[in-house]
């Protein structure tokens, strides 16, 4: 997938899926399995990075606090994603919290073991680099989009991204697979909750999305993508 400016705001397939079979099998033998309950932190900002986590089942959110102390969701993580690589590679502290959205199963791999694995498998090293580069590109895009004046266009952009990450095809359209609350959706855009509710209402009335308390379905993705560019009134 290209990373050009006109590319949709999508990310690569999860890290694990991008590895060749023998390398993937080797990685899956490493570390120890662990389970986290919904809302439990897998790792916390500021802690030393002495392990990485390979997500095997369930969704997580990567969160940080803005200058006023409000929580911002930087991204969501899906099965196959790798977390904690930044502090492990840079040898520093965690840059964000990673929190379970539902019950999650991971493999926790010690930093020393993971670093050895990367040296032994240059193709995996490259894929870690791809993940980090991709996050960098998305963060830059998000930052430049935060001044998009149209609230509806900003909400539409994030919904389109979520469809790319965890969309489930249903007869009614693309259901967003991650059970995000309205507060979490607001933290992900990021935008005030009331503005998000108003934007969702406009999208609903335009026949682009259908939503209930924790489930959003993108009924018309083409129209959603048009709105990410032009907005609606
Ligand atoms: N903007 C981001 N998007 C996606 N994942 C992130 C982002 N920032 C941090 N992470 C992940 O969250 C982890 C927190 O611990 P690390 O800093 O070790 O490594 C980080 C990445 O794996």
């Amino acid at each position: 997938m290209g990373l050009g400016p006109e590319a949709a705001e999508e990310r690569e397939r999860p890290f694990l899926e991008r590895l060749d079979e023998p390398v993937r099998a080797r990685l899956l033998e490493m570390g120890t399995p662990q389970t986290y309950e919904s809302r439990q932190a897998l790792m916390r900002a500021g802690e030393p990075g002495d392990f990485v986590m390979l997500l095997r089942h369930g969704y997580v959110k990567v969160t940080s606090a803005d200058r006023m102390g409000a929580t911002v969701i930087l991204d969501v993580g899906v099965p196959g994603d790798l977390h904690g690589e930044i502090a492990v590679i840079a040898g520093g502290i965690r840059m964000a919290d990673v929190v379970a959205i539902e019950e999650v199963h991971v493999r926790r791999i010690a930093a020393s073991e993971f670093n050895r694995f990367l040296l032994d498998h240059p193709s995996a090293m490259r894929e870690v680099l791809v993940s980090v580069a991709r996050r960098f590109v998305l963060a830059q895009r998000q930052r430049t989009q935060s001044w998009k004046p149209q609230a509806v266009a900003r909400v539409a952009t994030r919904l389109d991204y979520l469809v790319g990450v965890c969309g489930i095809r249903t007869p009614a359209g693309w259901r967003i697979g991650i059970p995000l609350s309205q507060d979490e959706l607001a933290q992900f855009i990021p935008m005030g909750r009331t503005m998000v509710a108003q934007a969702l209402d406009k999208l609903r009335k335009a026949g682009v999305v259908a939503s209930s308390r924790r489930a959003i379905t993108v009924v018309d993705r083409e129209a959603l993508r048009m709105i990410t560019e032009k907005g609606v009134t």
Side-chain angles (χ1 to χ4, degrees), residues 57-211:
H57 172 85
Y59 295 117
V60 297
K61 56 184 175 182
V62 179
T63 70
S64 197
D66 71 11
R67 275 194 221 173
M68 307 299 285
T71 300
V72 174
I73 298 181
L74 302 174
D75 204 355
V76 289
V78 303
D81 278 348
L82 181 73
H83 288 279
E85 78 292 352
I86 304 272
V88 163
I89 292 169
I93 55 172
R94 305 280 184 215
M95 60 173 286
D97 295 340
V98 179
V99 179
I101 291 180
E102 55 186 356
E103 182 177 294
V104 302
H105 300 179
V106 302
R107 286 198 84 85
R108 177 189 162 120
I109 305 168
S112 56
E113 202 186 346
F114 187 68
N115 278 325
R116 211 172 324 118
F117 166 78
L118 292 183
L119 290 176
D120 289 346
H121 301 91
S123 61
M125 176 89 87
R126 185 183 183 283
E127 291 307 332
V128 171
L129 199 56
V130 168
S131 298
V132 174
R134 191 71 200 162
R135 281 174 183 166
F136 187 66
V137 170
L138 289 181
Q140 188 262 5
R141 251 182 225 165
Q142 177 62 12
R143 183 149 167 69
T144 50
Q145 276 179 355
S146 63
W147 292 103
K148 213 179 239 184
Q150 248 272 10
V152 181
R154 285 176 57 198
V155 172
T157 301
R158 292 307 244 170
L159 291 181
D160 187 47
Y161 175 76
L162 287 174
V163 169
V165 173
C166 61
I168 299 165
R169 197 85 173 98
T170 73
W174 289 99
R175 186 163 64 77
I176 291 172
I178 300 184
L180 288 179
S181 66
Q182 290 250 336
D183 276 337
E184 287 171 322
L185 184 61
Q187 291 166 353
F188 184 53
I189 292 171
M191 187 186 278
R193 220 191 119 141
T194 311
M195 276 179 84
V196 175
Q198 286 167 353
L200 277 178
D201 205 42
K202 283 190 180 171
L203 288 169
R204 240 188 324 257
K205 285 184 178 139
V208 178
V209 305
S211 66

Side-chain angles (χ1 to χ4, degrees), residues 11 26-27:
R11 68 158 129 169
R26 172 72 195 106
L27 183 64

